[in-house]
């Protein structure tokens, strides 16, 4: 899937790079690629001759570059400066990362913006048709000044020279940039223009949107979905039927584009699934299977089969004896070949093509032995709705990758499957059914195999009117756009000088049909039935109308927001309810108190009437305090409103209290209640009196709660109110208590002991301050409690963090959790983890942080004491995680960090075995040290055998390491390190002897004849001057121990830069190899062509490989 994400802001070179878009960075980042067609041309858009420029960048010594990223030279397009940004080793993925960058973004004025459509390409220097090119478009601005593809192409493909992307260690990048004027995309009203609405894209869900629109516009299907039983107690996010009903209802009755989040939640998808681009056909099958299952036992049971299910008969018929085997199978869709077929009829011809089973491939017929036979498929019946999946993607064995087939492929508006006297039908088919179909919808894929954009052309009423459903946008289109323009193939650009006899320029069309939906003419009236409100369950209508009304209400509120003020009133009851449960610092969470929406013009005294109606507190007993945000970021009641202020309007009062000009007014309602629980008038407030709030702490229960508020004399002392505080806490009368002032909690907690003998004023206490108190503890009983006093408890609350630990080798499985403090040091954390795991030595614990975007462990583990505190381990850019990964090492981490571990594959000289060894040595060691260490671990053919270390990549030898080379810079992440004994013949090379590379290769007869595919183990061979191929073959056969009958089928070729020249037995091989050096000699080698009989296995390196495509799963 193509990922479109901007590259990162500058970070230190040794840190991972951030891709600040949505929720994804390292690993797979399935962001949607919007094709160039996404933004349609509207009347007010000027598109005359937009400036375009093609830039070519040649990068030499590419593989040896140690730079994390490279910028090209600056080039100009449309009066703007641009450059290409490349990460040669990937932007935290094992793919090449490639972006277009606004070169002068740092110096542009605030608010700059520019729109460009562009393509980026890595040129194949051997076969131009294999050049990898990806297109996209972007609105560049100050926040997103670069855009492109984090996973452009795999590094293994790029760095394999036989693939042609890296020749002579040179890489060629092309960028084609078209600068366009910004389109007013958002002003377009799909409902007004077409009568239909689109679906919102969640990131990479255009493939789903195109399918959902197609299914929605099959009215019989929509009706069946509406009739699936659901109840008012169901939640859409947990019920696929209800979520689909809700979605279809909104598509039918809404004026704006519809969100699909409830539906994907009902699938059991997390946000990561929504950012993965999947396959339309796969989703179609899985969704239909789910609905079929959910329809069982309901009034709509069997709908899916009725609409989409057809049957074909597989048969094998003997030619010489009377024997026939048949098997009936059902299908919901048909996969049709595109390659080698000009149209749908040609694909059906191929589908029913008869295969002859003869010679070595005879059929074992029951009671008749091996027989010549005919094998094929014929159709018993076709469904009313015929879904044809066009096989636009296929596996290219030569390139070991999927490729997209962009060949021209025609499909008719009317499809007659009874043609040629029913040649597609089996003898059992009911010939009374007329299989004449009309085209309903065309699903289009625009882009390449690694990703792209999906949209659909649909005829909702099967009239001549076509509509394009492209995510949120729906447009009217003519039939040519939906049909001929989606055939694919090549298109000629109009000639600029028609008078000249120049060859027209052709380009491949990357937008083409991928799925076709046909409806049978005889079933048309039934399928295209009317669907109205009576088909929708009443509870669903009520629920969705209520949702719509709420939406309209919110919209109205938003439009009228400037006329209203929100007043949030906090009371004693709120403080009692929240402190110690939801909050511990300050007094209240204002988002959880009663809020009033009041017209700004309303006098405040009238608002007090509203408060009376809500709380039953008469107006004369209400006194309101304004809240103030202090410099230390706390929020406290500051002063009561004056009688004069209460005569003002709500709007004026909000402006007095609120310097930030938001629409809210926050108040504290002070109410006095007498001993008989009756309301009392508020006591007079003088400057000498201050209002204090009190919290009580219990160290035994580790509990903090609000116990009340008091007016105290500013010049009075705490000793004067101790009896009142003891009474509020319900302590015995003579209990000793300690007082603390809660001062602030950001960025850290400040809570200080209050001297009870000095005045409140001397302690700098004022209106709105908070005093926390508790029973006094002796030094003896303090040790009984984890947090014996208020400051230690608040410190704990402020920094407590539950961390979920997972074993690194099982990164998706939660193992255990620990409650820790963010202030814990590195040593504190590993000590707690070691204790949990029963590991004696905490230094053998190695931790890795969590990447919040990819939901994966970060690739670089945390170094020993490499961070100060737990909080540093949990932070990932601007997000905080609560997950850490652990490993248990066999040696302490500080010791391991001083070592370099290399994975070396040792090839025994005489035995057919490869032993993998992890060699762990100090980083300043040399290759000679690696070889000496290896010798102690392997069995040599003789004690004095010499060993060498090679760099092997994709079955080719790239380098023999000099013994003195330092191992610190050797990378075994992408290359395989191979150790082997040096053969005696190589130690005594004659003056005219040559040491050449010998590689195995194969070619697929169906593919490009020039493309070779290497496999097996490469090796060196000494060839003598004047030696013929016949003589060399004898030595190779002996070395490889190949049987005569098999070896006789082998071919031998001199291969240079991937091109084979086949050799005759009499050819002098040394004449072809003129280069004497073996560095870079992988460009020329002796190729042994034969079939690869070894079992296929994954290419083994020790790197972490992420999965880039997940199969579609609907979990509920």
């Amino acid at each position: 899937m193509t990922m479109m994400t901007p590259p990162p802001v500058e970070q230190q070179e040794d840190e991972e790079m951030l891709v600040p878009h949505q929720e994804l960075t390292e690993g797979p980042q399935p962001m949607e690629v919007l094709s160039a067609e996404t933004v349609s041309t509207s009347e007010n858009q000027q598109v005359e001759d937009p400036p375009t420029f093609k830039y070519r960048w040649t990068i030499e010594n590419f593989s040896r570059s140690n730079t994390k990223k490279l910028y090209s030279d600056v080039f100009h397009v449309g009066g703007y400066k641009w450059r290409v940004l490349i990460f040669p080793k990937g932007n935290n993925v094992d793919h090449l990362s490639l972006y277009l960058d606004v070169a002068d973004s740092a110096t542009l004025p605030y608010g700059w913006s520019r729109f460009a459509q562009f393509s980026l390409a890595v040129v194949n220097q051997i076969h131009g048709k294999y050049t990898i090119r990806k297109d996209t478009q972007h609105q560049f601005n100050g926040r997103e000044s670069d855009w492109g593809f984090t996973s452009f192409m795999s590094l293994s493909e790029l760095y394999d020279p036989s693939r042609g992307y890296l020749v002579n260690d040179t890489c060629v990048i092309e960028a084609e940039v078209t600068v366009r004027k910004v389109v007013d995309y958002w002003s377009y009203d799909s409902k007004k223009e077409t009568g239909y609405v689109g679906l919102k894209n969640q990131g990479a869900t255009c493939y789903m949107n195109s399918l959902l629109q197609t299914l929605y516009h099959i009215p019989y299907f929509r009706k069946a979905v509406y009739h699936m039983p659901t109840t008012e107690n169901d939640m859409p996010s947990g019920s696929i039927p209800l979520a689909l009903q809700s979605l279809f209802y909104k598509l039918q009755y809404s004026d704006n584009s519809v969100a699909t989040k409830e539906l994907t939640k009902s699938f059991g998808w997390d946000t990561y699934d929504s950012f993965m681009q999947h396959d339309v056909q796969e989703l179609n099958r899985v969704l239909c299977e789910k609905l079929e299952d959910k329809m069982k036992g309901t009034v709509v049971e069997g709908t899916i089969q009725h609409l989409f299910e057809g049957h074909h008969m597989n048969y094998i018929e003997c030619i010489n004896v009377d024997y026939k085997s048949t098997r009936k199978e059902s299908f919901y869709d048909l996969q049709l070949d595109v390659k080698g077929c000009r149209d749908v009829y040609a694909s059906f011809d191929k589908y029913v093509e008869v295969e002859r089973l003869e010679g070595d491939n005879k059929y074992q017929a029951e009671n008749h032995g091996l027989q010549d036979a005919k094998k094929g498929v014929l159709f018993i019946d076709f469904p009313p709705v015929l879904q044809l999946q066009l096989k636009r993607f296929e596996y290219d064995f030569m390139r070991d990758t999927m490729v997209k087939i962009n060949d021209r492929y025609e499909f008719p508006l009317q499809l007659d499957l009874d043609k040629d006297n029913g040649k597609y039908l089996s003898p059992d088919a009911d010939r009374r059914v007329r299989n004449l179909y009309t085209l309903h919808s065309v699903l289009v894929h625009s882009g390449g195999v690694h990703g792209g954009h999906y949209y659909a052309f649909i005829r909702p009423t099967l009239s001549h009117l076509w509509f394009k459903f492209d995510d949120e946008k729906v447009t009217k289109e003519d039939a040519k756009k939906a049909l001929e323009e989606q055939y694919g193939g090549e298109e000629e650009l109009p000639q600029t000088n028609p008078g000249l006899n120049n060859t027209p320029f052709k380009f491949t069309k990357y937008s083409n049909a991928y799925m076709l939906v046909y409806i049978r003419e005889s079933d048309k009236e039934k399928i295209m039935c009317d669907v109205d409100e009576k088909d929708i369950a009443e509870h669903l209508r009520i629920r969705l109308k209520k949702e719509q009304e709420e939406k309209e209400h919110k919209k109205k509120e938003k439009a009228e927001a400037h006329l209203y003020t929100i007043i949030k009133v906090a009371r004693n009851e709120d403080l009692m309810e929240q402190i110690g449960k939801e909050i511990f610092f300050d007094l209240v969470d204002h988002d959880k108190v009663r809020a009033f929406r009041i017209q700004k013009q309303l006098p405040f005294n009238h608002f007090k009437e509203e408060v009376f109606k809500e709380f039953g507190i008469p107006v004369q007993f209400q006194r309101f305090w304004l809240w103030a945000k202090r410099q230390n970021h706390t929020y406290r009641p500051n002063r009561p409103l004056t009688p004069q202020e209460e005569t003002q309007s709500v709007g004026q009062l909000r402006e007095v209290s609120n310097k930030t000009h938001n629409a809210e007014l926050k108040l504290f309602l002070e109410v006095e209640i007498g001993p008989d629980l009756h309301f009392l008038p508020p006591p007079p407030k003088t400057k000498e009196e201050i209002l204090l709030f009190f919290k009580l702490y219990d160290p035994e229960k580790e509990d903090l709660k609000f116990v009340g508020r008091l007016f105290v004399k500013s010049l009075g002392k705490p000793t004067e109110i101790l009896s009142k505080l003891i009474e509020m806490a319900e302590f015995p009368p003579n209990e000793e208590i300690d007082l603390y002032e809660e001062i602030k909690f950001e960025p850290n907690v400040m809570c200080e002991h209050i001297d009870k003998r000095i005045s409140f004023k001397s302690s700098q206490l004022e209106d709105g301050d908070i005093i926390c108190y508790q029973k006094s503890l002796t030094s003896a009983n303090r040790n009984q409690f984890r947090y014996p006093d208020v400051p230690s408890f608040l410190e704990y609350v402020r920094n407590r963090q539950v961390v979920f630990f997972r074993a690194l080798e099982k990164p998706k499985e939660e193992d255990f959790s620990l409650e820790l403090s963010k202030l814990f040091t590195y040593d504190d954390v590993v000590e707690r983890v070691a204790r949990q795991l029963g590991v004696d030595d905490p230094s053998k614990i190695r931790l890795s942080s969590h990447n919040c975007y990819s939901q994966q462990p970060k690739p670089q583990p945390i170094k020993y004491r490499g961070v100060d505190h737990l909080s540093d381990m949990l932070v990932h850019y601007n997000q905080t995680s609560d997950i850490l990964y652990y490993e248990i090492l066999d040696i302490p981490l500080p010791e391991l960090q001083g070592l370099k571990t290399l994975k070396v594959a040792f090839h025994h000289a005489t035995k057919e075995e490869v032993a993998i060894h992890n060699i762990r040595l100090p980083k300043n060691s040399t290759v000679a040290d690696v070889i000496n260490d290896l010798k102690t671990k392997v069995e040599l053919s003789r004690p004095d055998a010499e060993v060498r270390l090679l760099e092997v990549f994709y079955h080719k030898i790239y380098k023999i390491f000099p013994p003195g080379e330092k191992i610190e810079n050797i990378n075994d992440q992408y290359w395989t390190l191979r150790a082997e004994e040096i053969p005696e013949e190589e130690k005594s090379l004659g003056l005219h002897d040559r040491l050449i590379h010998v590689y195995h290769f194969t070619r697929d007869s169906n593919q490009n004849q020039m493309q070779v595919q290497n496999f097996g183990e490469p090796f060196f061979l000494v060839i003598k001057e004047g030696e013929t191929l016949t003589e060399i073959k004898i030595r190779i056969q002996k070395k490889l121990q190949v049987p005569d009958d098999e070896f006789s089928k082998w071919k031998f070729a001199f291969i240079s830069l991937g091109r084979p020249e086949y050799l005759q037995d009499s050819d002098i091989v040394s004449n072809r190899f003129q280069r004497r050096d073996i560095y870079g000699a992988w460009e020329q080698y002796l190729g042994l062509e034969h079939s690869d009989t070894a079992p296929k296995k994954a290419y083994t390196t020790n790197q972490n490989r992420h999965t880039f495509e997940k199969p579609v799963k609907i979990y509920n």
Side-chain angles (χ1 to χ4, degrees), residues 502-620:
N502 54 351
T503 308
F505 176 71
K506 292 185 177 181
F507 68 94
T508 303
K509 295 171 71 177
Y510 291 97
S511 297
N512 37 52
Y514 172 83
M515 177 176 163
L516 306 171
V517 178
Y518 283 93
I519 291 176
R520 190 157 50 201
E521 285 281 356
S522 57
D523 294 294
K524 192 161 70 174
E525 282 189 29
K526 183 174 71 176
I527 302 296
M528 306 305 288
C529 57
D530 289 331
V531 184
D532 50 35
E533 281 217 342
K534 69 176 183 294
D535 292 301
I536 301 163
E538 187 182 5
H539 78 83
L540 186 67
R541 288 205 304 271
I542 293 167
R543 178 201 291 256
L544 295 173
K545 279 182 177 169
K546 190 177 174 186
E547 266 182 38
Q548 193 59 33
E549 284 166 7
E550 283 174 6
K551 204 171 171 185
E552 292 297 326
H553 181 65
K554 282 180 182 172
K555 193 174 174 184
K556 186 182 175 193
E557 275 191 0
K558 199 172 179 183
E560 296 175 349
H562 64 288
L563 303 174
Y564 289 84
T565 288
I566 302 296
I567 302 181
K568 292 184 173 178
V569 178
R571 303 180 298 145
N572 255 28
E573 288 84 343
D574 296 306
L575 276 61
M576 293 276 191
E577 197 174 298
Q578 293 185 24
I579 291 171
K581 299 180 188 72
E582 296 170 13
I583 64 164
F584 290 87
F585 301 99
D586 266 355
L587 293 171
V588 76
D589 179 350
H590 290 276
D591 290 335
K592 293 179 179 173
V593 303
R594 178 67 173 87
F596 298 82
R597 187 169 181 260
I598 304 296
Q599 280 193 330
K600 288 181 180 177
Q601 304 307 320
L602 190 78
F604 187 81
N605 281 324
H606 289 201
F607 163 68
K608 293 174 81 171
E609 296 288 347
E610 292 294 318
V611 173
F612 168 61
K613 288 178 193 169
E614 178 68 22
F615 298 129
I617 302 165
V619 169
Q620 67 270 26

Side-chain angles (χ1 to χ4, degrees), residues 262-304:
E262 275 187 347
L263 182 66
T264 55
K265 275 185 185 171
S266 77
F267 291 171
W269 288 4
D270 53 24
T271 51
Y272 183 69
D273 286 289
S274 303
F275 283 104
M276 288 299 297
Q277 200 174 75
H278 297 300
D279 179 83
V280 171
Q281 176 191 1
E282 193 182 1
L283 177 68
N284 188 20
R285 284 186 178 175
V286 174
L287 180 59
C288 283
E289 281 171 16
K290 280 283 174 188
L291 288 174
E292 189 180 341
D293 185 53
K294 304 275 185 190
M295 288 177 176
K296 280 178 183 166
T298 74
V299 292
V300 288
E301 183 172 1
T303 299
I304 300 294

Side-chain angles (χ1 to χ4, degrees), residues 894-914:
E895 194 179 322
L896 179 65
Q897 285 178 185
L899 302 176
K900 169 86 172 180
T901 302
L902 292 177
K903 194 177 194 177
V904 178
F906 179 71
H907 290 242
H908 198 277
T910 55
K911 299 178 185 175
E912 280 195 26
E913 65 179 38
V914 176

Side-chain angles (χ1 to χ4, degrees), residues 904-909 911 913-919 930-943 945-948 979-981:
V904 178
F906 179 71
H907 290 242
H908 198 277
K911 299 178 185 175
E913 65 179 38
V914 176
I916 305 294
H917 292 274
N918 284 310
I919 307 294
V930 173
I931 291 169
N932 290 333
D933 187 80
L934 186 68
K935 281 180 177 181
T936 66
K937 297 176 177 175
V938 300
E939 181 188 345
L940 299 172
S941 61
R942 57 177 204 277
E946 291 183 43
V947 175
R948 65 185 168 202
E980 64 185 20
E981 292 183 27

